[in-house]
Amino acid sequence: MTTTTTTSAGVQVVKPTVASHLHDYWGRVRGGDIGSLPAILGLIVLCLIFGIARPTFFSAVNFANLFSQGAAVIFIAMGLVFVLLLGEIDLSAGFASGVCGAVMAILLTNHGWHWASAILVALVTGLAIGFVLGFLVSKVGIPSFVVTLAAFLAFQGILLVLLSGGKNISIRETFVLSLANKNMSVVVSWALAVLAVAGYAALQFTRLRGRAVRGLVTDPVGIVLGRIVALAVILFAAVAVLTAERSINPLISGSVKGVPIVAPIIAVFLILWTFVLGRTAYGRHVYAVGGNTEAARRAGIPVDRIRISVFVIGSFMAAIGGIIAASRANSVDPNSGGSNVLLYAVGAAVIGGTSLFGGKGRVLDAVIGGAVIAVIDNGMGLMGYSAGTKFVVTGLILLLAASVDALSRRRAAATGNR
């Protein structure tokens, strides 16, 4: 059921009821448009399982650890979302992050650079890597799988050269180390949480009013209020847990309170890239190229430039991931960005709901998928499972996510709900 009202300007506005909105949403889910729903449900189930099996999983200390454990993978996965939206792949993102982290560490430790300059050069290195990869894919015409596989191998060698054959470089710069290891004050933690909820509420109501003025279909006010309340409950509950004392003996080892510094950094990039994909012409072009490249080309969209840009963004976010990883480890070594980093980053994006076939996905998918992977790694570690078991479980969940994506696309095609 919907209601129709007329504004003072004579514009008729269709206002669906909460019931009709939920009915339409369920219809989209049944039609194959499931988005991040499986990942969210999976995250809840995993938290319940690990929390029941190991009550320490829900402790404030472990909750804070989840942020530092999953941050680097989440940043790399955010960049990979852009690449995957075009149906491309970047197999070099993991070691690219390691190279960028090594560049920063070398400038800080071996050459005494200021942290700002060292981080800037590391980020520029990421941008340069992305441009080269994107150029080879879009202008030369080499498949992204081949280009990034070659880069995957080459960056391992570059990392060894930068580290003089395999030396470990320690990082002592206080600011860099604080990125993944320190917390904001209690006051700042609560202030940012309140500001985030207020900003989200203002954005939701501004969007609601804007659509109403233009005579477009608007979401029910009840649904909008529900989103705001849900965000407020989640954020305030998280901040309440994280601002509790986490130190075993504050008098001896010092007080440990507050939201980890890396959390608002993740939030800033989540908001930035969500805005870029959802509210700009560039974002619409990315989805258009990912959905149908030839149609996008005929519509006048610069396909080659879009291709180059997504690899640039992907490698830029990989550089940030490398910086955060170096901060958490307090060092860089020949395996920085290697091991399971790339697999976890790709898995995070896909598990969160981004399609491997292109044209469907959000930056939020990387955050949700990264949370799932961090919870699996953390929870199974608390339960004493081996690394091999963790890999098997994570692989099965990734396979399940890819299967759900394929089946949902088939369902959407059958129902005409693309």
Side-chain angles (χ1 to χ4, degrees):
M1 179 181 292
T2 60
T3 59
T4 304
T5 60
T6 304
T7 65
S8 57
V11 178
Q12 285 193 335
V13 181
V14 178
K15 294 184 176 180
T17 62
V18 173
S20 66
H21 181 88
L22 294 176
H23 181 268
D24 290 343
Y25 174 74
W26 178 243
R28 293 196 300 272
V29 170
R30 292 183 62 186
D33 185 11
I34 56 177
S36 300
L37 183 60
I40 294 172
L41 295 177
L43 183 61
I44 294 172
V45 170
L46 287 169
C47 288
L48 291 176
I49 292 173
F50 293 137
I52 294 172
R54 288 290 185 273
T56 53
F57 177 81
F58 285 124
S59 67
V61 173
N62 193 58
F63 185 41
N65 285 340
L66 285 171
F67 285 96
S68 59
Q69 280 184 269
V73 167
I74 288 174
F75 282 118
I76 298 172
M78 283 184 181
L80 286 174
V81 166
F82 283 82
V83 178
L84 292 173
L85 281 173
L86 263 61
E88 305 286 358
I89 190 66
D90 184 357
L91 300 176
S92 68
F95 275 112
S97 73
V99 168
C100 295
V103 168
M104 177 194 69
I106 290 169
L107 294 177
L108 286 173
T109 304
N110 295 355
H111 300 283
W113 282 36
H114 188 271
W115 63 263
S117 301
I119 290 177
L120 179 61
V121 172
L123 295 177
V124 171
T125 301
L127 292 172
I129 288 172
F131 179 81
V132 172
L133 296 177
F135 181 86
L136 292 173
V137 172
S138 63
K139 296 297 186 181
V140 181
I142 307 173
S144 60
F145 180 88
V146 177
V147 171
T148 58
L149 178 59
F152 170 87
L153 298 172
F155 290 152
Q156 293 182 66
I158 292 173
L159 194 55
L160 286 171
V161 171
L162 289 174
L163 299 180
S164 301
K167 294 180 180 178
N168 185 302
I169 297 181
S170 298
I171 298 174
R172 300 180 181 86
E173 168 57 49
T174 304
F175 176 83
V176 174
L177 295 179
S178 69
L179 294 175
N181 300 299
K182 297 296 182 180
N183 308 299
M184 298 181 294
S185 69
V186 173
V187 173
V188 173
S189 299
W190 279 109
L192 286 180
V194 171
L195 183 63
V197 173
Y200 181 74
L203 181 65
Q204 286 290 309
F205 283 115
T206 299
R207 181 173 180 269
L208 185 69
R209 186 175 183 278
R211 290 181 66 86
V213 168
R214 295 193 298 272
L216 302 175
V217 177
T218 60
D219 292 336
V221 175
I223 294 295
V224 173
L225 290 174
R227 292 175 187 150
I228 296 170
V229 170
L231 178 65
V233 169
I234 293 171
L235 275 184
F236 293 161
V239 173
V241 172
L242 293 171
T243 51
E245 183 60 66
R246 302 198 292 273
S247 176
I248 298 175
N249 194 331
L251 296 178
I252 297 177
S253 57
S255 178
V256 180
K257 295 180 180 180
V259 174
I261 291 174
V262 75
I265 299 176
I266 292 174
V268 166
F269 280 101
L270 172 61
I271 294 169
L272 170 65
W273 295 128
T274 298
F275 174 81
V276 168
L277 281 179
R279 300 290 179 183
T280 66
Y282 170 78
R284 291 191 291 273
H285 290 170
V286 170
Y287 283 112
V289 174
N292 190 320
T293 303
E294 188 55 37
R297 195 188 308 276
R298 293 184 180 185
I301 295 174
V303 173
D304 287 349
R305 274 187 278 175
I306 295 295
R307 275 212 178 98
I308 293 174
S309 69
V310 297
F311 280 98
V312 169
I313 292 172
S315 294
F316 174 77
M317 294 305 296
I320 295 176
I323 292 168
I324 297 298
S327 171
R328 180 169 184 256
N330 296 349
S331 64
V332 293
D333 59 61
N335 197 43
S336 295
S339 186
N340 54 12
V341 173
L342 172 67
L343 302 179
Y344 276 5
V346 174
V350 176
I351 290 170
T354 298
S355 175
L356 286 167
F357 302 99
K360 188 182 77 172
R362 302 171 300 167
V363 180
L364 180 61
D365 297 341
V367 178
I368 297 173
V372 171
I373 288 178
V375 164
I376 293 172
D377 191 46
N378 180 280
M380 296 191 75
L382 290 176
M383 294 177 69
Y385 286 102
S386 66
T389 304
K390 293 179 187 178
F391 288 149
V392 170
V393 172
T394 306
L396 290 175
I397 290 178
L398 174 57
L399 179 62
L400 178 62
S403 301
V404 169
D405 175 39
L407 292 174
S408 65
R409 291 180 73 89
R410 184 182 303 175
R411 175 74 175 175
T415 60
N417 207 10
R418 292 177 181 249

